Amino acid sequence: MADMRVNIAGVEFKNPVITASGTFGYGREYEHFFPLSKLGGISTKGTTAEKRNGNLAPRIAETPSGILNSVGLQNPGIDKFIKVELPNLKSKDTVIIANIAGFSIEEYAKICEKLDGTNVDMIEINISCPNVKHGGAAFGTSCQSAAEVTKAVRASTKKPIIIKLSPNVTDITEIARAVEAEGADAVSLINTLLGMRIDINSRRPILKNNVGGLSGAAVFPVALRMVWQTANAVKIPVIGMGGISTWEDGIEMMLAGASAIQVGAALFKNPFAAVEIIDGMNDYLDRKGIKSVNEIVKKVQPW
Amino acid sequence: MKYMQGKYPIIASTTLAREIYDFTVCCPKIARAAEPGQFVTIAADGFPLRRPVSLCGIDKENGTIRLVFEVRGKGTKEISRLREGDMIDIIAPLGRGFRLKDYKTAILVGGGIGTPPMVPLAKIYGENCVAISGFRSAANVILQEDFKASGAKTVLCTDDGTMGRKGFVTAALREEIEIKKPDVIFACGPSPMIKGVVDIANEYGIPSQISLEERMGCGIGACLVCACRTVRNGEEFYAHVCQDGPVFESKDVIF
């Protein structure tokens, strides 16, 4: 049994596998399949200051080895999260990361202030949601606005802050450097890649929002490349995600430079994907005689 | 209600009509927990999303469920290749089914591939229900023997009149209500049919429940993609077909 513990910004995870925001709700649904204590952590559904219904359906379309979604941040609002969902999650013996999104810098700061007084372990700042017209991705696609959001949330809370980055940019490493300079404790990447599908009979986009975010196995090589580049550009920990479906993907992602990983879309087909990845990664380390999972981080040997 | 995921044996498989398949799956725990109107999601080899299929039969004694589905695309085509003896990967039972409350008599309205979830209701209501089903043409007609065997009064409509009466289910529904007003109407089918059924139910002041369809992700209420506009506590709320439905009280749904 290898030591699977990892430490991100002073927070200890029992293993490096976190379920990704937007795929795992607030944990209640997957608890029917396995105890949440098996997970390293849970990144909760993106939560905003006020409750939101999100976009009209259809909000999902299948693609080759992938999924497009356009949920649009449906959530019950931060107050209900703090009152109802957080106490439940905190009883599950796993690291709880509150994923939050805003439509203005003030909103991001306000939510962080509210979370500062709670027992949430970390806050993941979503500056990369592609499915809302204002805010969301708009903050994540320029170094200046990404830095401004980071500065504002940094001033609003002492909780460790993870900035979740958008892949829909020219150079993700520049954004990562910009948020690192403003005091981000970690970065997580990638959020979904903006995509589209059209029904050839109706000539209508399948998603009512016309476009949506691509995730799933199809994006894994892109995510891996971006994590590798980012891990080589910043000193803060990188949490890698994007299409991780098997334990082998998890190992690759950590070799590329991720200190922890998130698993999302794979859960839809296999609700046990995250726990199987934990077990598979542990077996790999044992077979290789590696004592701690931290020993493989960024250990890819580039040509 | 607890759902589970597993691979279970298909103990019978048959074709009901062109591209419509009928599997009987042995899964005693799921059968014991399942209720009419609930659904399963089936994993299709090589596809990232599971396919939702409603329950056409629940046999608690023999520990089996019956799944009748239509090939709609490549994923369902892949599932249709499974045969008797093969294992099928399902998550079930899912969603909220029909609420039977103390309704003594019912009219069931099924359109096309919306007909299968009406079969378990017909079994429960027997001669206290009328089962109206509608199909495009004689070649698409399925499940009529099941409705007859349940003791329900069975009314068949086809759009082109090649079998049963010619026309839509809504005309037959109106006639049946005029003959005997039921306590409740249960419906599943294409959106225009559902809308037509609900309009008639409202006109006669009969409560109605409808089983809806939407593109799904996780199927268990976590990913929130299968939104359905409803009214909850006086406010517009996007409910989720997989968790809050697939069966909704039609008075709660915004069309």
Side-chain angles (χ1 to χ4, degrees):
Chain A
M1 186 75 192
D3 184 354
M4 292 288 277
R5 289 174 301 171
V6 298
N7 190 302
I8 310 272
V11 177
E12 185 174 286
F13 294 69
K14 65 181 77 169
N15 65 62
V17 179
I18 302 161
T19 50
S21 176
T23 62
F24 207 73
Y26 297 114
R28 295 178 187 272
E29 295 78 17
Y30 282 93
E31 204 172 12
H32 286 302
F33 295 115
F34 58 86
L36 301 181
S37 60
K38 282 187 180 288
L39 298 169
I42 296 170
S43 178
T44 64
K45 172 67 196 172
T47 303
T48 49
E50 304 299 329
K51 67 180 173 188
R52 284 176 54 83
N53 267 330
N55 296 322
L56 284 168
R59 296 169 166 184
I60 191 166
E62 197 176 53
T63 71
S65 299
I67 296 161
L68 278 174
N69 91 81
S70 58
V71 172
L73 291 174
Q74 181 170 15
N75 77 90
I78 192 67
D79 293 337
K80 191 162 179 199
F81 169 76
I82 290 171
K83 197 168 162 221
V84 180
E85 301 298 343
L86 185 58
N88 178 57
L89 282 165
K90 281 299 290 178
S91 70
K92 303 301 176 186
D93 185 26
T94 186
V95 172
I96 303 303
I97 304 170
N99 182 292
I100 65 143
F103 295 86
S104 67
I105 288 176
E106 295 70 33
E107 185 179 349
Y108 279 104
K110 188 176 120 192
I111 301 169
C112 285
E113 266 169 37
K114 286 188 173 179
L115 286 169
D116 195 58
T118 70
N119 58 354
V120 76
D121 297 298
M122 307 180 91
I123 307 174
E124 184 173 50
I125 311 293
N126 182 358
I127 55 166
S128 43
C129 177
N131 291 322
V132 291
K133 286 201 168 59
H134 308 287
F139 292 106
T141 48
S142 94
C143 288
Q144 194 192 333
S145 56
E148 279 171 16
V149 173
T150 308
K151 191 176 182 180
V153 295
R154 180 72 289 163
S156 316
T157 180
K158 291 187 182 65
K159 300 278 183 193
I161 285 170
I162 305 163
I163 306 287
K164 185 166 178 178
L165 304 181
S166 171
N168 305 308
V169 294
T170 315
D171 184 353
I172 198 165
T173 65
E174 285 181 10
I175 313 272
R177 280 198 199 96
V179 303
E180 180 183 40
E182 289 299 341
D185 295 295
V187 287
S188 59
L189 60 140
I190 57 174
N191 204 321
T192 54
L193 288 145
L194 200 58
M196 184 178 190
R197 293 221 78 176
I198 296 168
D199 181 322
I200 59 166
N201 295 311
S202 67
R203 300 188 179 187
R204 291 276 203 180
I206 291 175
L207 299 175
K208 198 77 169 219
N209 193 48
N210 296 322
V211 297
L214 181 65
S215 61
V219 312
F220 179 70
V222 177
L224 192 71
R225 183 265 295 176
M226 289 188 168
V227 165
W228 180 58
Q229 290 177 328
T230 304
N232 282 299
V234 296
K235 291 190 180 67
I236 52 176
V238 176
I239 300 172
M241 80 187 93
I244 296 173
S245 313
T246 64
W247 66 263
E248 289 94 331
D249 296 341
I251 297 288
E252 268 192 73
M253 193 57 100
M254 293 192 74
L255 287 171
S259 299
I261 61 171
Q262 294 190 10
V263 177
L267 298 163
F268 297 169
K269 178 135 181 212
N270 176 13
F272 296 95
V275 287
E276 287 174 9
I277 288 169
I278 296 165
D279 293 344
M281 288 174 71
N282 182 59
D283 291 347
Y284 166 87
L285 296 172
D286 285 348
R287 276 199 307 281
K288 299 280 182 189
I290 300 167
K291 289 198 175 57
S292 163
V293 70
N294 294 296
E295 290 173 36
I296 67 168
V297 175
K298 217 174 147 187
K299 289 296 158 61
V300 61
Q301 296 176 285
W303 298 105
Chain B
M1 179 222 61
K2 278 223 169 158
Y3 39 82
M4 52 204 97
Q5 180 265 337
K7 289 181 180 170
Y8 302 92
I10 297 172
I11 58 168
S13 82
T14 170
T15 308
L16 296 184
R18 203 180 113 79
E19 300 286 41
I20 296 183
Y21 295 82
D22 181 352
F23 291 169
T24 302
V25 179
C26 183
C27 49
K29 269 189 179 171
I30 289 172
R32 221 174 299 138
E35 290 168 16
Q38 288 190 299
F39 69 101
V40 315
T41 56
I42 307 175
D45 219 16
F47 294 84
L49 291 176
R50 289 170 173 268
R51 269 52 179 172
V53 173
S54 62
L55 289 165
C56 178
I58 303 160
D59 186 338
K60 293 182 191 289
E61 223 163 88
N62 291 311
T64 61
I65 58 170
R66 186 178 175 198
L67 305 173
V68 170
F69 65 96
E70 183 178 33
V71 170
R72 290 269 183 92
K74 290 172 187 162
T76 39
K77 183 79 200 167
E78 184 60 35
I79 295 165
S80 76
R81 294 199 177 96
L82 294 169
R83 289 291 172 267
E84 196 177 314
D86 289 343
M87 303 295 273
I88 186 167
D89 178 342
I90 59 174
I91 297 178
L94 292 169
R96 289 186 71 192
F98 294 100
R99 273 75 89 185
L100 309 187
K101 300 180 183 174
D102 48 2
Y103 299 131
K104 299 280 189 299
T105 61
I107 295 182
L108 322 177
V109 187
I113 202 60
T115 312
M118 295 300 137
V119 173
L121 290 173
K123 271 203 164 170
I124 291 168
Y125 281 95
E127 57 191 19
N128 294 317
C129 76
V130 181
I132 303 172
S133 30
F135 302 91
R136 284 191 303 276
S137 190
N140 312 108
V141 173
I142 54 169
L143 301 170
Q144 296 307 293
E145 293 310 313
D146 294 272
F147 288 123
K148 283 175 193 154
S150 71
K153 178 180 175 184
T154 303
V155 180
L156 171 65
C157 314
T158 53
D159 298 355
D160 62 2
T162 45
M163 196 185 274
R165 50 181 286 172
K166 183 175 177 357
F168 295 138
V169 290
T170 38
L173 172 62
R174 202 175 274 282
E175 279 175 31
E176 292 302 326
I177 294 172
E178 290 292 343
I179 295 167
K180 189 173 179 295
K181 192 173 159 180
D183 294 341
V184 65
I185 295 170
F186 299 117
C188 183
S191 320
M193 183 210 93
I194 295 238
K195 181 75 174 65
V197 168
V198 170
D199 285 345
I200 293 171
N202 290 345
E203 188 185 318
Y204 286 91
I206 304 165
S208 58
Q209 293 175 21
I210 52 182
S211 178
L212 301 180
E213 195 177 39
E214 189 49 75
R215 286 173 184 265
M216 289 182 189
C218 67
I220 59 173
C223 78
L224 311 182
V225 301
C226 54
C228 166
R229 295 176 69 201
T230 65
V231 175
R232 190 181 279 185
N233 305 324
E235 276 182 44
E236 182 171 350
F237 174 73
Y238 287 13
H240 298 98
V241 173
C242 74
Q243 189 178 44
D244 305 303
V247 179
F248 291 89
E249 303 268 358
S250 55
K251 65 177 170 53
D252 297 334
V253 175
I254 302 171
F255 289 96

